[in-house]
Amino acid sequence: MILEIQPLELSFTFEVKKQSSCSVQMINSTNHLVAFKIKTTNPKKYCVRPNTGLILPNAACRFTVTMQAPKVAPPDMICRDKFLVQSTVVPEGTKEEDVTSNTFAKEDGKIVDEKKLRVIFVLPPDSSESSPINEPSKLVHFNESRELKDDIVIQKESHHAKVDAGVELSKGNDESVEATMKEETFKIKETEKKIEEPVKPNQEYIIKRNEESVQMNDAEELILAKDIEEMKSKVKGLELKLNEAKASIAQLTAEKRSVTQEKNIIQGELDMVKSKRHKGQVGFPLLFVLMVSFVSLYLGYLLHS
């Protein structure tokens, strides 16, 4: 356990067309910095402040939940909304803006503590009842139905006994017996109808209890679905970055090929210039031949003179 939550139930004073708020205290008894996040199955109905944050070592923090003003009261006065408090240890120096959904991802052996909080409705102080209007009232109604059913069964048995007695006493008068039988049969049918009526709340109670357990499973599935959607969005982001990296690599490869081709073209042109220059230097230049001829004539002239 990373955080101690007090209380584990969110109690709202239920009044039609009026907002209601309650607060919950979170106590960090560890020597580490702890990040927290609050989720709910009905985010449009509740406002949580703060819904994420940090708690210093051996410190406490409160968050407030405000329920929007209800327009009508629920038929069974049972609230099936749930809250989930997630907490995990984070490194020293972590800031509140660093706390994201990734902080509470369960990976690499990371410990993420989760606490579920249920919501109950409480009647206003000026009401005749001050207890939470949830399951206890259903239990009382169920017990009353059982007692009423037992009483009616006893009445039914007594009616059957009266019918038998009426038949024995009126054997000599067939019309009286027939009238008595019809009257008692009518009473028995009415009694059976009364027996069936108290049983319905019991059946409704069982059905509603099953619906509540199904609702809890739906809430867990909703939280799991949100986590899956977050993981899918992360995977899509990574795939997008991978595609961008592949496109950049392909572009750089094309540029490298283009530069290599240009280099080969320039090298070929240089080789061609060098070959032309080498061909131009084959043999003696004309000026050199003229100079040699002139010097030879001059020497020949000096020798003859």
Side-chain angles (χ1 to χ4, degrees):
M1 183 179 66
I2 299 176
L3 291 180
E4 182 181 353
I5 311 295
Q6 296 178 353
L8 293 175
E9 295 179 344
L10 297 173
S11 301
F12 294 98
T13 303
F14 186 87
E15 293 183 83
V16 177
K17 297 181 180 180
K18 287 187 179 180
Q19 285 188 349
S20 180
S21 300
C22 67
S23 62
V24 177
Q25 186 178 32
M26 299 177 293
I27 303 172
N28 179 12
S29 302
T30 68
N31 296 322
H32 306 284
L33 185 65
V34 174
F36 69 89
K37 182 180 180 66
I38 294 96
K39 296 181 178 180
T40 179
T41 57
N42 196 346
K44 294 182 179 180
K45 185 178 178 181
Y46 302 96
C47 178
V48 183
R49 291 291 181 274
N51 58 352
T52 59
L54 298 170
I55 305 178
L56 297 175
N58 299 309
C61 176
R62 282 185 176 271
F63 67 89
T64 303
V65 182
T66 302
M67 182 180 69
Q68 303 299 324
K71 295 181 181 179
V72 293
D76 52 3
M77 294 303 290
I78 294 177
C79 184
R80 297 180 177 86
D81 299 331
K82 298 291 185 294
F83 282 78
L84 181 70
V85 180
Q86 294 180 308
S87 58
T88 185
V89 176
V90 294
E92 293 292 336
T94 303
K95 298 180 181 179
E96 289 191 0
E97 53 267 24
D98 298 332
V99 180
T100 61
S101 299
N102 298 334
T103 306
F104 304 94
K106 297 178 181 179
E107 54 186 13
D108 299 332
K110 188 176 183 179
I111 299 175
V112 179
D113 190 24
E114 294 183 344
K115 292 286 191 306
K116 293 180 181 179
L117 310 180
R118 71 188 189 107
V119 177
I120 61 173
F121 291 151
V122 178
L123 293 174
D126 56 352
S127 177
S128 59
E129 299 179 4
S130 60
S131 60
I133 44 183
N134 271 357
E135 297 176 4
S137 62
K138 285 288 181 182
L139 294 174
V140 173
H141 186 68
F142 172 71
N143 293 332
E144 290 176 353
S145 301
R146 290 292 299 275
E147 292 175 0
L148 182 60
K149 181 180 178 181
D150 295 339
D151 292 341
I152 293 172
V153 170
I154 294 170
Q155 291 176 7
K156 183 178 178 181
E157 292 175 354
S158 65
H159 285 310
H160 280 293
K162 288 180 182 179
V163 171
D164 295 339
V167 172
E168 291 176 359
L169 292 173
S170 57
K171 285 182 179 179
N173 192 342
D174 294 338
E175 293 180 358
S176 178
V177 170
E178 186 177 356
T180 304
M181 287 292 292
K182 288 181 179 179
E183 183 181 355
E184 295 302 330
T185 302
F186 176 77
K187 289 181 180 180
I188 290 170
K189 289 181 178 179
E190 292 294 323
T191 304
E192 289 176 351
K193 289 181 180 179
K194 292 180 181 179
I195 291 173
E196 294 175 359
E197 290 177 355
V199 176
K200 290 181 180 179
N202 181 25
Q203 294 174 350
E204 292 177 358
Y205 169 75
I206 295 171
I207 292 170
K208 287 173 182 177
R209 288 287 295 171
N210 292 334
E211 289 178 354
E212 184 176 357
S213 63
V214 171
Q215 187 70 21
M216 290 180 65
N217 293 332
D218 291 342
E220 293 176 355
E221 290 177 0
L222 180 61
I223 294 171
L224 182 61
K226 289 181 179 178
D227 293 338
I228 292 172
E229 289 297 328
E230 290 178 0
M231 291 298 294
K232 286 183 178 178
S233 62
K234 291 178 186 177
V235 171
K236 288 181 180 178
L238 291 174
E239 288 179 352
L240 192 61
K241 291 181 180 178
L242 181 61
N243 292 333
E244 291 177 356
K246 288 181 179 179
S248 299
I249 292 171
Q251 185 178 359
L252 291 173
T253 304
E255 291 178 357
K256 181 180 178 181
R257 290 176 181 173
S258 177
V259 170
T260 303
Q261 290 177 357
E262 291 179 358
K263 180 181 177 182
N264 292 334
I265 291 170
I266 293 171
Q267 186 68 34
E269 291 178 354
L270 287 174
D271 293 339
M272 189 180 295
V273 170
K274 287 180 180 179
S275 62
K276 288 181 179 180
R277 188 175 177 183
H278 181 68
K279 289 179 181 179
Q281 291 180 355
V282 175
F284 295 100
L286 180 60
L287 182 60
F288 178 75
V289 173
L290 293 174
M291 288 294 295
V292 171
S293 301
F294 179 75
V295 171
S296 300
L297 291 173
Y298 181 71
L299 289 175
Y301 175 75
L302 290 177
L303 290 173
H304 286 89
S305 60

